[in-house]
Structures are given as structure tokens and as C-alpha cells.
Amino acid sequence: AQSVTQLDSHVSVSEGTPVLLRCNYSSSYSPSLFWYVQHPNKGLQLLLKYTSAATLVKGINGFEAEFKKSETSFHLTKPSAHMSDAAEYFCVVSDGVGGGFKTIFGAGTRLFVKA
Amino acid sequence: SAVISQKPSRDICQRGTSLTIQCQVDSQVTMMFWYRQQPGQSLTLIATANQGSEATYESGFVIDKFPISRPNLTFSTLTVSNMSPEDSSIYLCSVGREAEQFFGPGTRLTVL
């Protein structure tokens, strides 16, 4: 069975300071991992994905995430937060099962950015 | 990638009625997924729909409440039956390709 845990329901940072959104996963297979962002009243946007290539994944808008198999983690980081980064972030794990795959969303982390 | 459209984009319905949501993909896909996002919550998988077979429902979701059709490789519908205010959510269609999922814009449903 697969699962994903986002360790913080809310994270608050000041503009210009680093962002860290934590995600741990469990999977019976070699997983694919994703981070999505959802701005208020907007659709889901893919930030980045890990699919068994490089463990450090760079995404859009300056975000990156590192896949650490030993720690079963896939934390999302950004060196310097911008006001426009305020949104809901979802960590997602996807397995290949029986020729298809199943995707599980984490509960989400709401990022607040203070001026 | 995949471009997904959903109809309607939003609707306000009376309790006890049913609403059918359509999902159209710009290319053929094997697996299509339906999710629900309740207000302030994460996405929950309702069911997986493969063309030519019955949909597979997740725990807590049943076919009588959420019947799904998948008549071809580019189209699917989800019906929310006998609606109650608790069904007020965003319903999203998604397709999978090479272990990545692409999401439609969602259908925002309000049940009065």
C-alpha cells in the first residue's frame, strides 16, 4: 500500500526567506513523486516530478525537491519566498500497479508568505 | 502531456437531484480517474475508469452514488446521484500517462 504524509498543515515564512515543505511517503514499488500547487480558486499546477532519474529535481518558479530513499522523503524547498508563492501545496505519490498506477494525494500544506 | 476539459465548470443544484459531469481528453488514454476535493481539503480518489470495463471504486464510494461511464478512450462521465449538501465539492477528472497525471480544471458543485 502507498501513502503520503505532509508533516505540516500550515507553514508561514517571510518574503525573501527559505521555504521548506516536508513530505514523507511509503510505497511498495518504486514510486513516482510529485509536488502540485493550487492557488485559491485555481486548478492544480505541476511544480516538479521525480520518476527515478536524478534525485534532485528542479521545478518551476525556483522550487526544487530531493528524493531521499533512505528517509522516504521528498521535501520541497525554495531559497527565497515570494508573495506569489502563497498557495496550497500537495505532495503526491504514484505507483505502478498491475499495468496501471494509482495516485495518492497528501493532505496539503498551506504556505503563507508575510511581507 | 494531455489537455482535459470538463463540463460544466460549475453548477448549483437542488438536493435530491443528479448531475452528470463530462470529461474530454485531447488524446486516447487507457486510464481515467475521478477525484473529489471537498472545501478546504485535499483530493480524494473516487474511482478509476478503464475503457471497456466497470470502474473501480475506492473505499467509501459506491457505484449507485457515483455511476461512471467510459464509452471510449477520450471521454468519461461521472454522475453525482441523489445529491445532498455534503456532495458540494470540486470534482476533477484526471488522466495518466507515463506515471504522470494531468488534471482537468474541475467542476465546482454546490448543492442547496
PDB file of all heavy atoms in Angstrom, chain A residues 29-48:
ATOM      1  N   TYR A  29       6.339  -0.109  -4.242  1.00  0.00           N
ATOM      2  CA  TYR A  29       7.006  -0.146  -5.531  1.00  0.00           C
ATOM      3  C   TYR A  29       7.974   1.024  -5.626  1.00  0.00           C
ATOM      4  O   TYR A  29       8.083   1.812  -4.694  1.00  0.00           O
ATOM      5  CB  TYR A  29       5.975  -0.067  -6.663  1.00  0.00           C
ATOM      6  CG  TYR A  29       4.928  -1.158  -6.613  1.00  0.00           C
ATOM      7  CD1 TYR A  29       3.784  -1.015  -5.836  1.00  0.00           C
ATOM      8  CD2 TYR A  29       5.092  -2.333  -7.344  1.00  0.00           C
ATOM      9  CE1 TYR A  29       2.834  -2.015  -5.787  1.00  0.00           C
ATOM     10  CE2 TYR A  29       4.136  -3.332  -7.299  1.00  0.00           C
ATOM     11  CZ  TYR A  29       3.020  -3.168  -6.518  1.00  0.00           C
ATOM     12  OH  TYR A  29       2.083  -4.153  -6.466  1.00  0.00           O
ATOM     13  N   SER A  30       8.657   1.114  -6.717  1.00  0.00           N
ATOM     14  CA  SER A  30       9.475   2.305  -6.951  1.00  0.00           C
ATOM     15  C   SER A  30       8.542   3.437  -7.340  1.00  0.00           C
ATOM     16  O   SER A  30       7.978   3.434  -8.434  1.00  0.00           O
ATOM     17  CB  SER A  30      10.487   2.043  -8.073  1.00  0.00           C
ATOM     18  OG  SER A  30      11.412   1.054  -7.693  1.00  0.00           O
ATOM     19  N   PRO A  31       8.373   4.386  -6.475  1.00  0.00           N
ATOM     20  CA  PRO A  31       7.322   5.376  -6.721  1.00  0.00           C
ATOM     21  C   PRO A  31       7.750   6.503  -7.644  1.00  0.00           C
ATOM     22  O   PRO A  31       8.931   6.787  -7.814  1.00  0.00           O
ATOM     23  CB  PRO A  31       7.060   5.926  -5.315  1.00  0.00           C
ATOM     24  CG  PRO A  31       8.416   5.881  -4.675  1.00  0.00           C
ATOM     25  CD  PRO A  31       9.078   4.632  -5.219  1.00  0.00           C
ATOM     26  N   SER A  32       6.772   7.139  -8.215  1.00  0.00           N
ATOM     27  CA  SER A  32       6.955   8.460  -8.797  1.00  0.00           C
ATOM     28  C   SER A  32       6.374   9.450  -7.794  1.00  0.00           C
ATOM     29  O   SER A  32       5.355   9.186  -7.163  1.00  0.00           O
ATOM     30  CB  SER A  32       6.219   8.575 -10.134  1.00  0.00           C
ATOM     31  OG  SER A  32       6.772   7.698 -11.091  1.00  0.00           O
ATOM     32  N   LEU A  33       7.049  10.570  -7.648  1.00  0.00           N
ATOM     33  CA  LEU A  33       6.629  11.564  -6.660  1.00  0.00           C
ATOM     34  C   LEU A  33       6.483  12.919  -7.322  1.00  0.00           C
ATOM     35  O   LEU A  33       7.259  13.263  -8.233  1.00  0.00           O
ATOM     36  CB  LEU A  33       7.664  11.644  -5.529  1.00  0.00           C
ATOM     37  CG  LEU A  33       7.773  10.378  -4.680  1.00  0.00           C
ATOM     38  CD1 LEU A  33       9.111  10.323  -3.970  1.00  0.00           C
ATOM     39  CD2 LEU A  33       6.646  10.309  -3.665  1.00  0.00           C
ATOM     40  N   PHE A  34       5.515  13.668  -6.855  1.00  0.00           N
ATOM     41  CA  PHE A  34       5.187  14.944  -7.471  1.00  0.00           C
ATOM     42  C   PHE A  34       4.883  15.975  -6.385  1.00  0.00           C
ATOM     43  O   PHE A  34       4.471  15.629  -5.277  1.00  0.00           O
ATOM     44  CB  PHE A  34       3.946  14.816  -8.362  1.00  0.00           C
ATOM     45  CG  PHE A  34       3.973  13.687  -9.344  1.00  0.00           C
ATOM     46  CD1 PHE A  34       3.625  12.392  -8.967  1.00  0.00           C
ATOM     47  CD2 PHE A  34       4.341  13.910 -10.654  1.00  0.00           C
ATOM     48  CE1 PHE A  34       3.652  11.351  -9.868  1.00  0.00           C
ATOM     49  CE2 PHE A  34       4.360  12.867 -11.570  1.00  0.00           C
ATOM     50  CZ  PHE A  34       4.016  11.591 -11.177  1.00  0.00           C
ATOM     51  N   TRP A  35       5.070  17.213  -6.755  1.00  0.00           N
ATOM     52  CA  TRP A  35       4.524  18.323  -5.993  1.00  0.00           C
ATOM     53  C   TRP A  35       3.640  19.135  -6.926  1.00  0.00           C
ATOM     54  O   TRP A  35       4.051  19.506  -8.030  1.00  0.00           O
ATOM     55  CB  TRP A  35       5.628  19.220  -5.434  1.00  0.00           C
ATOM     56  CG  TRP A  35       6.230  18.731  -4.152  1.00  0.00           C
ATOM     57  CD1 TRP A  35       7.384  18.020  -4.015  1.00  0.00           C
ATOM     58  CD2 TRP A  35       5.714  18.935  -2.832  1.00  0.00           C
ATOM     59  NE1 TRP A  35       7.607  17.762  -2.676  1.00  0.00           N
ATOM     60  CE2 TRP A  35       6.617  18.307  -1.935  1.00  0.00           C
ATOM     61  CE3 TRP A  35       4.596  19.593  -2.318  1.00  0.00           C
ATOM     62  CZ2 TRP A  35       6.424  18.330  -0.549  1.00  0.00           C
ATOM     63  CZ3 TRP A  35       4.407  19.614  -0.950  1.00  0.00           C
ATOM     64  CH2 TRP A  35       5.309  18.989  -0.084  1.00  0.00           C
ATOM     65  N   TYR A  36       2.418  19.406  -6.427  1.00  0.00           N
ATOM     66  CA  TYR A  36       1.476  20.261  -7.141  1.00  0.00           C
ATOM     67  C   TYR A  36       1.195  21.491  -6.287  1.00  0.00           C
ATOM     68  O   TYR A  36       1.209  21.432  -5.054  1.00  0.00           O
ATOM     69  CB  TYR A  36       0.156  19.532  -7.401  1.00  0.00           C
ATOM     70  CG  TYR A  36       0.197  18.493  -8.489  1.00  0.00           C
ATOM     71  CD1 TYR A  36       0.582  17.181  -8.220  1.00  0.00           C
ATOM     72  CD2 TYR A  36      -0.168  18.808  -9.795  1.00  0.00           C
ATOM     73  CE1 TYR A  36       0.614  16.222  -9.211  1.00  0.00           C
ATOM     74  CE2 TYR A  36      -0.153  17.845 -10.801  1.00  0.00           C
ATOM     75  CZ  TYR A  36       0.240  16.562 -10.497  1.00  0.00           C
ATOM     76  OH  TYR A  36       0.260  15.614 -11.493  1.00  0.00           O
ATOM     77  N   VAL A  37       0.866  22.575  -6.962  1.00  0.00           N
ATOM     78  CA  VAL A  37       0.460  23.791  -6.261  1.00  0.00           C
ATOM     79  C   VAL A  37      -0.947  24.158  -6.717  1.00  0.00           C
ATOM     80  O   VAL A  37      -1.315  23.945  -7.877  1.00  0.00           O
ATOM     81  CB  VAL A  37       1.441  24.955  -6.512  1.00  0.00           C
ATOM     82  CG1 VAL A  37       1.508  25.312  -7.997  1.00  0.00           C
ATOM     83  CG2 VAL A  37       1.058  26.173  -5.696  1.00  0.00           C
ATOM     84  N   GLN A  38      -1.720  24.671  -5.776  1.00  0.00           N
ATOM     85  CA  GLN A  38      -3.081  25.103  -6.087  1.00  0.00           C
ATOM     86  C   GLN A  38      -3.287  26.476  -5.463  1.00  0.00           C
ATOM     87  O   GLN A  38      -3.362  26.616  -4.248  1.00  0.00           O
ATOM     88  CB  GLN A  38      -4.102  24.102  -5.548  1.00  0.00           C
ATOM     89  CG  GLN A  38      -5.521  24.394  -5.969  1.00  0.00           C
ATOM     90  CD  GLN A  38      -6.497  23.327  -5.467  1.00  0.00           C
ATOM     91  OE1 GLN A  38      -6.419  22.883  -4.325  1.00  0.00           O
ATOM     92  NE2 GLN A  38      -7.428  22.910  -6.325  1.00  0.00           N
ATOM     93  N   HIS A  39      -3.390  27.471  -6.320  1.00  0.00           N
ATOM     94  CA  HIS A  39      -3.708  28.807  -5.841  1.00  0.00           C
ATOM     95  C   HIS A  39      -5.213  28.917  -5.625  1.00  0.00           C
ATOM     96  O   HIS A  39      -5.988  28.172  -6.234  1.00  0.00           O
ATOM     97  CB  HIS A  39      -3.210  29.854  -6.829  1.00  0.00           C
ATOM     98  CG  HIS A  39      -1.720  30.002  -6.830  1.00  0.00           C
ATOM     99  ND1 HIS A  39      -0.891  29.266  -7.636  1.00  0.00           N
ATOM    100  CD2 HIS A  39      -0.894  30.795  -6.092  1.00  0.00           C
ATOM    101  CE1 HIS A  39       0.365  29.590  -7.410  1.00  0.00           C
ATOM    102  NE2 HIS A  39       0.393  30.521  -6.478  1.00  0.00           N
ATOM    103  N   PRO A  40      -5.636  29.834  -4.768  1.00  0.00           N
ATOM    104  CA  PRO A  40      -7.072  29.947  -4.463  1.00  0.00           C
ATOM    105  C   PRO A  40      -7.927  30.031  -5.712  1.00  0.00           C
ATOM    106  O   PRO A  40      -7.658  30.833  -6.615  1.00  0.00           O
ATOM    107  CB  PRO A  40      -7.137  31.226  -3.631  1.00  0.00           C
ATOM    108  CG  PRO A  40      -5.791  31.332  -2.990  1.00  0.00           C
ATOM    109  CD  PRO A  40      -4.827  30.788  -4.014  1.00  0.00           C
ATOM    110  N   ASN A  41      -8.928  29.184  -5.770  1.00  0.00           N
ATOM    111  CA  ASN A  41      -9.882  29.147  -6.885  1.00  0.00           C
ATOM    112  C   ASN A  41      -9.214  28.888  -8.236  1.00  0.00           C
ATOM    113  O   ASN A  41      -9.750  29.280  -9.277  1.00  0.00           O
ATOM    114  CB  ASN A  41     -10.692  30.435  -6.943  1.00  0.00           C
ATOM    115  CG  ASN A  41     -11.509  30.633  -5.681  1.00  0.00           C
ATOM    116  OD1 ASN A  41     -12.173  29.711  -5.212  1.00  0.00           O
ATOM    117  ND2 ASN A  41     -11.423  31.810  -5.101  1.00  0.00           N
ATOM    118  N   LYS A  42      -8.082  28.228  -8.198  1.00  0.00           N
ATOM    119  CA  LYS A  42      -7.379  27.874  -9.433  1.00  0.00           C
ATOM    120  C   LYS A  42      -7.220  26.361  -9.522  1.00  0.00           C
ATOM    121  O   LYS A  42      -7.393  25.641  -8.532  1.00  0.00           O
ATOM    122  CB  LYS A  42      -5.989  28.527  -9.478  1.00  0.00           C
ATOM    123  CG  LYS A  42      -6.005  30.024  -9.390  1.00  0.00           C
ATOM    124  CD  LYS A  42      -6.422  30.659 -10.689  1.00  0.00           C
ATOM    125  CE  LYS A  42      -6.234  32.155 -10.637  1.00  0.00           C
ATOM    126  NZ  LYS A  42      -6.709  32.803 -11.873  1.00  0.00           N
ATOM    127  N   GLY A  43      -6.851  25.880 -10.707  1.00  0.00           N
ATOM    128  CA  GLY A  43      -6.617  24.454 -10.883  1.00  0.00           C
ATOM    129  C   GLY A  43      -5.263  24.026 -10.363  1.00  0.00           C
ATOM    130  O   GLY A  43      -4.457  24.833  -9.898  1.00  0.00           O
ATOM    131  N   LEU A  44      -5.023  22.735 -10.417  1.00  0.00           N
ATOM    132  CA  LEU A  44      -3.749  22.184  -9.969  1.00  0.00           C
ATOM    133  C   LEU A  44      -2.664  22.424 -11.007  1.00  0.00           C
ATOM    134  O   LEU A  44      -2.876  22.216 -12.197  1.00  0.00           O
ATOM    135  CB  LEU A  44      -3.895  20.679  -9.750  1.00  0.00           C
ATOM    136  CG  LEU A  44      -4.634  20.269  -8.491  1.00  0.00           C
ATOM    137  CD1 LEU A  44      -5.076  18.828  -8.598  1.00  0.00           C
ATOM    138  CD2 LEU A  44      -3.773  20.461  -7.264  1.00  0.00           C
ATOM    139  N   GLN A  45      -1.494  22.802 -10.524  1.00  0.00           N
ATOM    140  CA  GLN A  45      -0.358  23.019 -11.417  1.00  0.00           C
ATOM    141  C   GLN A  45       0.808  22.167 -10.943  1.00  0.00           C
ATOM    142  O   GLN A  45       1.161  22.189  -9.769  1.00  0.00           O
ATOM    143  CB  GLN A  45       0.047  24.492 -11.426  1.00  0.00           C
ATOM    144  CG  GLN A  45       1.213  24.804 -12.353  1.00  0.00           C
ATOM    145  CD  GLN A  45       1.609  26.264 -12.316  1.00  0.00           C
ATOM    146  OE1 GLN A  45       1.289  27.001 -11.380  1.00  0.00           O
ATOM    147  NE2 GLN A  45       2.300  26.710 -13.343  1.00  0.00           N
ATOM    148  N   LEU A  46       1.404  21.419 -11.855  1.00  0.00           N
ATOM    149  CA  LEU A  46       2.543  20.584 -11.514  1.00  0.00           C
ATOM    150  C   LEU A  46       3.778  21.450 -11.305  1.00  0.00           C
ATOM    151  O   LEU A  46       4.160  22.225 -12.180  1.00  0.00           O
ATOM    152  CB  LEU A  46       2.808  19.562 -12.620  1.00  0.00           C
ATOM    153  CG  LEU A  46       3.997  18.630 -12.410  1.00  0.00           C
ATOM    154  CD1 LEU A  46       3.744  17.703 -11.216  1.00  0.00           C
ATOM    155  CD2 LEU A  46       4.270  17.810 -13.662  1.00  0.00           C
ATOM    156  N   LEU A  47       4.404  21.325 -10.129  1.00  0.00           N
ATOM    157  CA  LEU A  47       5.638  22.051  -9.826  1.00  0.00           C
ATOM    158  C   LEU A  47       6.851  21.273 -10.301  1.00  0.00           C
ATOM    159  O   LEU A  47       7.750  21.832 -10.920  1.00  0.00           O
ATOM    160  CB  LEU A  47       5.767  22.266  -8.327  1.00  0.00           C
ATOM    161  CG  LEU A  47       5.062  23.455  -7.684  1.00  0.00           C
ATOM    162  CD1 LEU A  47       5.314  23.427  -6.191  1.00  0.00           C
ATOM    163  CD2 LEU A  47       5.526  24.760  -8.298  1.00  0.00           C
ATOM    164  N   LEU A  48       6.880  19.987  -9.953  1.00  0.00           N
ATOM    165  CA  LEU A  48       8.011  19.151 -10.324  1.00  0.00           C
ATOM    166  C   LEU A  48       7.641  17.689 -10.101  1.00  0.00           C
ATOM    167  O   LEU A  48       6.650  17.390  -9.440  1.00  0.00           O
ATOM    168  CB  LEU A  48       9.263  19.508  -9.501  1.00  0.00           C
ATOM    169  CG  LEU A  48       9.124  19.628  -7.984  1.00  0.00           C
ATOM    170  CD1 LEU A  48       9.158  18.283  -7.310  1.00  0.00           C
ATOM    171  CD2 LEU A  48      10.219  20.533  -7.420  1.00  0.00           C
TER     172      LEU A  48
END
